[in-house]
Amino acid sequence: MKPRDRILSRLRHGRAASPATPYPAPETTAVTPSAPNIDSMVSALEAAHAQVFRMAEADWPDHLASLATERNWQQWWVGRDEAAATWQAHGSAPSVTVFEDWDGQKAALFDSAPISLSQAQGGIADTGTLIVESRPEAPRTLSLVPPVHVVIVREDSLFPDMPAAMVFYSRHGMPTNLIFISGPSKTADIQQTMAYGAHGPRELIVYLCR
Amino acid sequence: MSGFTDHPDQDFGVRIHDALGDAELRESFHGAMTFLRDKRRAQFPDADALETLRDSGAAIRDRALAQLPDLLEQLEDRCRHNGIQVHWAETADDANRIITGLIRAVNGQRIVKGKSMATEEIGLNTALEDAGFTCLESDMGEYIVQQAHETPSHIIMPAIHRNKASIARQFAEQIPDTPYTEDVDELIGTGRRVLRRAFAEADVGISGVNFAIAETGTLCLVENEGNGRMSTTVPDTHIAVMGIEKVIEKLADLPDLMRLLPRSATGQAITTYVNMISGPRREDECDGPRQVHLVLIDNGRSRIYADRQLRATLRCIRCGACMNHCPVYERLGGHAYGTVYPGPIGQVVMPQLFGLDHAGKLTQACSLNGACGEVCPVRIPLPDLIRRLRHEGVSADPASPVRGHGRQRRVSEALIWRAWQWIHTRPAVYRLVTRAATRARRLLPPLPRAWTRHRAPLEPAERSFQEWVRHHKKDHRP
């Protein structure tokens, strides 16, 4: 017998020998809020040290351009998603690199990509969470490697809570990599002192658009 | 310097003695445990809601365990369908052989690892070193303890036994061009710089798994730092390692477990990253691993599974709340246990993995105060299980399901309890004995030194409690 079959057979034998009395499931009266609570999205993200701007969708490029001037952000890295196209069309950024060739651009992404911009496919209002799917037009490392990450997300793409999001993915299927992001990367591994930018972005900037 | 051992009973007393005598260590743990307990409490303001959530957590894990073999087959099937290659390991050695083989097959040279207790359990780092590989730990806490040739002292916060001054000294001595600083941001910045290079160059990434979802063939990893995402995204080959009990039935089971895990562990409503992997990079995708492997480890779990009561051990979601609330763990710290899993859950898991003859004494380091059982997010009856294992340790029953059962049994102790039972189940004898003991209390032999070394000597009262009550009633009769 193969190890797999031996393990499964031991489990089946053990289960037959002492059948379980399953733990009674609670009578759930879980009320899923009908609409996502936008205020909770903002306050949870801010509590997690993210910076949040709310505005009409048409307004974020101008706002981001002035923020970029103020912070002196020059070298932008993007994928081929909607936010990238809008940002390139806006034309205010001195340099926009499209990340599409892993082997050719990986070293540069790690060494000299200070800031990335991407679109989030959705969010979870309850916990202040951005939902980012891996897609051909949206490389997963863009939300991970550069020290500053700017995310565009639409208010109408938010789920009220995680159960609602799970219902959606159970129905529509999972992308190869589904990532929930709830703030910049952080650690409290040294004497319980919170430090941001452990391995991922130090700064997370969210444009929540109507 | 401390290490894990497969015979934790050996020198357990010595390690306890040393830990209790280490003022710096005790201060570190006292501070950290108080911090984590306060943060957890703040996350659960509504006691009733918490109890309902714990019911749900226990029911979800129990339902998964009731279907365990079927869910594992479903998980394997869905993972294969998604392009994840599944491997089964009966023992720690088998798992290490499989992983080493996978690394050789892709000619792996540089290996990074995200935080994973399963790989600690099987001793993967040592096995890889023996095979000529070095595997760099990338969780900040794990990186710190690995660099110091130590082992983690807590399952969630591995470097909890260290203060920032000692980490500052370590970095300054061991990492080139690093000046001494106790600034935590700078220390983390140093770790980030070193580990970034490692991530960029790694060809194999190893990770654990928090939950595996059978419905969709998804591996779910929960973390704050991003090292888990780096390890599972950047290297061409990703090897995920998990105990067979970590499978859950469906995506809909995840939210309640996610409401429980980070709150119970670190007092966070949610972790920075919840990373759900359902396959390697697709052809049209630009990044992500080209190969994803899942190594399923039994390593004694199927034996635990066979006992109806002990099966509850396998509900564990490794949050660490039991140790954070354990008054013994808080005073000893994780290293004194000498085991991968310390604290209450370790006292239940380790004796079952190593046998009561090797780890049975761990169950004695417990005051049965019950705190662990009260906070466990999936309602593992830890105090009951510790008592059960104590019983198995002295049990003469040859049918006991736990390895090494009866090996803690001492004839003198068994006789004392036999006598105790005889006296306490015969009221007339009991009255006679207590009467004699109280009257002759000055004449009784002193207690053994094992008792009096750390405790005040005991002496029976002038009257037995029953006598006192009778007397008291007489006085107060209306």
Side-chain angles (χ1 to χ4, degrees), chain B residues 221-251:
Chain B
L221 279 74
V222 176
E223 56 146 349
N224 286 312
E225 293 187 358
N227 70 89
R229 284 191 64 197
M230 288 279 191
S231 305
T232 60
T233 307
V234 178
D236 265 352
T237 301
H238 168 210
I239 303 171
V241 184
M242 76 173 228
I244 51 171
E245 83 283 14
K246 291 255 170 169
V247 64
I248 57 174
E249 189 184 338
K250 50 193 186 208
L251 280 176

Side-chain angles (χ1 to χ4, degrees), chain B residues 26-269:
Chain B
R26 289 188 60 172
E27 196 179 302
S28 291
F29 272 91
H30 176 66
M33 296 300 101
T34 310
F35 172 81
L36 289 169
R37 285 195 300 263
D38 289 348
K39 281 192 70 186
R40 174 187 172 276
R41 199 176 305 120
Q43 282 293 338
F44 293 116
D46 182 342
D48 292 341
L50 169 60
E51 295 313 309
T52 311
L53 200 52
R54 292 176 68 214
D55 279 340
S56 175
I60 289 168
R61 292 293 300 130
D62 236 25
R63 174 159 43 77
L65 290 175
Q67 318 170 66
L68 185 57
D70 320 311
L71 291 183
L72 286 168
E73 281 182 317
Q74 190 190 356
L75 178 71
E76 179 187 44
D77 182 64
R78 292 290 183 281
C79 280
R80 291 230 163 107
H81 178 261
N82 292 343
I84 298 174
Q85 299 174 53
V86 182
H87 313 265
W88 301 72
E90 292 192 86
T91 64
D93 288 343
D94 291 349
N96 289 328
R97 254 194 307 277
I98 291 170
I99 297 164
T100 313
L102 291 172
I103 295 169
R104 289 218 173 96
V106 296
N107 192 23
Q109 304 291 327
R110 288 166 299 264
I111 308 163
V112 289
K113 176 140 80 72
K115 185 166 166 31
S116 146
M117 291 313 296
T119 59
E120 296 281 359
E121 179 188 317
I122 60 174
L124 179 63
N125 286 357
T126 315
L128 288 178
E129 271 167 40
D130 293 347
F133 298 108
T134 23
C135 174
L136 187 65
E137 292 284 355
S138 64
D139 171 87
M140 287 293 179
E142 293 277 354
Y143 171 69
I144 290 164
V145 300
Q146 185 189 38
Q147 192 178 55
H149 305 287
E150 289 183 307
T151 51
S153 57
H154 188 280
I155 64 170
I156 301 291
M157 309 192 94
I160 208 161
H161 57 289
R162 301 282 303 276
N163 60 29
K164 59 185 170 191
S166 82
I167 295 166
R169 272 196 302 278
Q170 176 184 322
F171 277 14
E173 280 166 19
Q174 300 210 22
I175 305 172
D177 308 322
T178 308
Y180 180 93
T181 171
E182 289 184 21
D183 184 298
V184 172
D185 282 322
E186 283 183 43
L187 289 170
I188 293 297
T190 301
R192 177 186 170 100
R193 177 167 52 82
V194 174
L195 289 164
R196 252 180 180 237
R197 187 65 16 239
F199 287 129
E201 292 168 357
D203 40 27
V204 176
I206 298 175
S207 79
V209 174
N210 290 96
F211 305 106
I213 299 144
E215 177 192 9
T216 50
T218 299
L219 313 177
C220 178
L221 279 74
V222 176
E223 56 146 349
N224 286 312
E225 293 187 358
N227 70 89
R229 284 191 64 197
M230 288 279 191
S231 305
T232 60
T233 307
V234 178
D236 265 352
T237 301
H238 168 210
I239 303 171
V241 184
M242 76 173 228
I244 51 171
E245 83 283 14
K246 291 255 170 169
V247 64
I248 57 174
E249 189 184 338
K250 50 193 186 208
L251 280 176
D253 289 337
L254 197 58
D256 275 356
L257 294 174
M258 279 305 301
R259 280 185 181 127
L260 286 163
L261 175 58
R263 286 179 188 180
S264 301
T266 49
Q268 295 173 266

Side-chain angles (χ1 to χ4, degrees), chain A residues 4 6 10 12 15 18 23 111 140-141 143 145 170 176-178 180 182 185 187 189 191 199-200, chain B residues 66 76 90 138 141 164 192 196-197 215 225 229 272 274-276 278 285 287 298 302 306 311 379:
Chain A
R4 168 195 189 274
R6 279 197 295 269
R10 274 200 299 272
R12 294 217 153 91
R15 183 168 60 177
S18 43
Y23 199 94
D111 294 338
R140 44 197 111 182
T141 42
S143 64
V145 178
S170 181
T176 48
N177 195 191
L178 179 67
F180 291 172
S182 306
S185 149
T187 183
D189 269 358
Q191 219 175 321
H199 295 294
Chain B
E76 179 187 44
E90 292 192 86
S138 64
K164 59 185 170 191
R192 177 186 170 100
R196 252 180 180 237
R197 187 65 16 239
E215 177 192 9
E225 293 187 358
R229 284 191 64 197
T272 298
V274 181
N275 178 8
M276 284 168 273
S278 307
E285 287 174 341
D287 58 3
D298 181 340
S302 54
R311 189 178 293 162
R379 291 199 193 277

